[in-house]
Amino acid sequence: MSDPEALKKGALVSAAYDTFLQVGLRILSFILNAFIVRHVSREVFAVMTVRLHLLYATGLLLSREAFRRAALSSKASVEIHKLINLVWIGLLVSGPVCVLGWYIWQYVMKRPPDAVTTDYDAGVIFMVMSIVVEVAAEVPFVLAELQLWNKTKVVIEGLMQVLRSILLATFVYIWPMHGVLMYGISHIVGSLIYCVSYYGLFIQIFHKKEEVVKLPVKGIRQLFPRWKPGRLLPEVDSELGTISWSFFKQGWLKEALTEGEFYLMNFFSLISLAQQGEYQVVNNLGSLAARLVFRSIETAAYKYFAQMVYRGKPINEEDQERIAEVVRFLTSLIRTLLLISIFILTFGWSYSSLLLELYGGRQLSEGGGTLLMRAQCFYVIFLAMNGITEAYTFAAMDDIQLSRYNHFLVLFSAAYIGTAVIFTQIFGPLGFVLANCINMGLRITYSCWFIHKQYQGSEYQPLSSVYITPRIIMLFSFALVFTTISEAFVYPQSVVLHIGVGAVSLAAVVYFLRWELRPFVEKILHFVSKFLSRVSKQNEHMDKDQFSSVSVVNKIHWLLYRL
């Protein structure tokens, strides 16, 4: 497919489907973890969702990520058999990666005690098998993506994860004492369904002549590698091979940065298995809003900034109207996300214990769970600020500046590892959250320094929105004190009344902050109204539903001004 418009449209649709898939999987994981943590101990939960999942994620990243990214960046001129050969190298790589992973997880990492689980060995083997099976399905996956079959990934990966979740929930409910074994079995079954579904899809298509014409391959045999006589390895495209090697080297650093805290937990035994399980649940729950909301906003913001700002170009040489719009958008985003994160901290502080008890039972809310959850609420402020400032920084930096930032990123990661080791010895699992705050703080500082330096000497001050007025601080402080008193005296007597106090406090804060939130709400309403108007103009006659939708949006906009 070489039509630029078709590629652009396909990429947008693919991004929308992928976002839908990721949100759906996050919600599914959220519900599944809430069920599992009530039926197994925190130690077993840690072995499943931290130890074994880390092996699975590491193996997939190192075995397929580099070859997948290189293959998906290929052009139409690449010979298809060389592309297929390249993807199959991932399966060859998965062999030594899985053997190394099996050895490390079995003999290097500290084994869970038999009192926790006797199925650890089987769980490790099942995870290794899952890696190999899923990597074996890479060729049909890549071909489907290159053909822009946007729904295929959503359907097949969604089916795999839903099936895994149903099996795991069922097995854990029936055999809670064998949770680790059931986790491994559920994973391998899901991986088999994933692999069979992709090959089954192509087998079905190969029986349809009108569909085969559109494909670069014409039969099932062409999905497998081809060797030339006398060659040890199949022939691959040299450019894609070089790109794959670069991606493979970056993969190790990416994995270390992404899963660093979990490697530290398991290799150095900084915290116990019970604390690992508690940390995993609280981390997933505390960062849910950031992952579902902030990440989507950051992605959209990066795309906007990348379109509006020229990399490495001085501000005074840019189009001033565009820069003014960029600054307004940047300041509005920083202000809004800061307020949202302060909302989360204010009300999360007094409702962490209740949320954890509702989610995972009293065993989760007691002990250090509540303190961890409060720390996660504080950490959300760093996530909000870092996401937007880095989105702008990455869009505005030139190649030299990006390379320099990567060097700083390695230093920041080293600082994170050092502080995590020290803090966990003092504060336990809370030390990982504090180390994350320091790491994010360093990254925010660098991004703010870059933005300040870029706009220095101009009339614009994009970082002015970081300043929170004493009036707003006082408002949130009153809400925090009010809900904290409710947690101490009302919550032990009535959960419903405690929730009611929080609802009233939240409504009061929103009312008094309506002037701060109005620009953000106006932007949303303007976008929705513009979208609905565009849809209505595409049709000769606007139906009643469309008319009422536009009217509702306009009435909300009018009401906003009345308030």
Side-chain angles (χ1 to χ4, degrees), residues 350-358 362 365 370 483-499 501:
S350 302
Y351 288 86
S352 292
S353 180
L354 174 60
L355 179 61
L356 289 175
E357 185 170 344
L358 293 175
R362 188 169 294 275
S365 62
T370 300
T483 53
T484 302
I485 294 174
S486 175
E487 182 185 31
F489 298 102
V490 178
Y491 176 41
Q493 306 300 324
S494 173
V495 172
V496 175
L497 189 57
H498 179 50
I499 295 174
V501 171

Side-chain angles (χ1 to χ4, degrees), residues 110-124:
K110 184 179 179 180
R111 292 174 57 84
D114 289 341
V116 173
T117 177
T118 57
D119 303 316
Y120 179 70
D121 295 348
V124 171

Side-chain angles (χ1 to χ4, degrees), residues 236-282:
V236 301
D237 184 84
S238 58
E239 181 180 355
L240 291 183
T242 303
I243 294 174
S244 298
W245 177 240
S246 298
F247 284 147
F248 184 76
K249 290 185 293 185
Q250 292 176 8
W252 293 90
L253 177 60
K254 178 182 176 182
E255 181 65 10
L257 297 177
T258 304
E259 307 288 355
E261 59 200 40
F262 297 109
Y263 282 113
L264 290 173
M265 289 179 189
N266 288 282
F267 278 104
F268 299 102
S269 300
L270 298 177
I271 57 178
S272 66
L273 279 175
Q275 291 174 322
Q276 287 183 29
E278 186 177 72
Y279 178 85
Q280 175 73 338
V281 174
V282 173

Side-chain angles (χ1 to χ4, degrees), residues 505-548:
S505 302
L506 178 62
V509 171
V510 170
Y511 177 78
F512 285 109
L513 285 180
R514 63 191 185 280
W515 296 108
E516 293 287 339
L517 298 174
R518 194 173 75 172
F520 181 68
V521 177
E522 281 183 345
K523 286 181 181 295
I524 296 176
L525 292 175
H526 176 72
F527 173 78
V528 173
S529 179
K530 187 176 180 181
F531 174 76
L532 291 174
S533 299
R534 185 180 299 173
V535 171
S536 65
K537 289 179 182 179
Q538 291 177 353
N539 301 318
E540 293 182 0
H541 304 286
M542 182 190 296
D543 58 31
K544 294 182 179 180
D545 291 337
Q546 291 172 329
F547 181 77
S548 62

Side-chain angles (χ1 to χ4, degrees), residues 281-340:
V281 174
V282 173
N283 180 59
N284 287 338
L285 186 59
S287 61
L288 185 65
R291 289 173 177 174
L292 293 183
V293 180
F294 291 175
R295 187 169 295 176
S296 299
I297 294 175
E298 292 158 15
T299 302
Y302 172 77
K303 292 179 181 178
Y304 173 80
F305 293 139
Q307 297 268 341
M308 297 289 286
V309 179
Y310 290 96
R311 293 184 182 274
K313 194 173 183 180
I315 291 298
N316 57 2
E317 297 180 12
E318 298 254 18
D319 186 331
Q320 294 305 299
E321 290 185 4
R322 291 165 67 96
I323 291 300
E325 181 61 32
V326 166
V327 171
R328 281 195 295 268
F329 186 65
L330 177 60
T331 54
S332 176
L333 272 183
I334 291 176
R335 184 76 165 184
T336 303
L337 292 188
L338 272 179
L339 287 176
I340 291 174

Side-chain angles (χ1 to χ4, degrees), residues 1 143-144 147-150 152 200-219 222-223:
M1 184 177 292
L143 291 178
Q147 293 300 306
L148 299 181
W149 294 349
N150 300 306
T152 302
L201 173 66
F202 273 83
I203 291 173
Q204 183 183 11
I205 291 175
F206 287 145
H207 286 87
K208 299 178 180 180
K209 294 182 179 180
E210 65 277 6
E211 296 291 337
V212 174
V213 176
K214 304 175 185 178
L215 293 176
V217 292
K218 308 304 178 186
Q222 294 184 17
L223 295 179

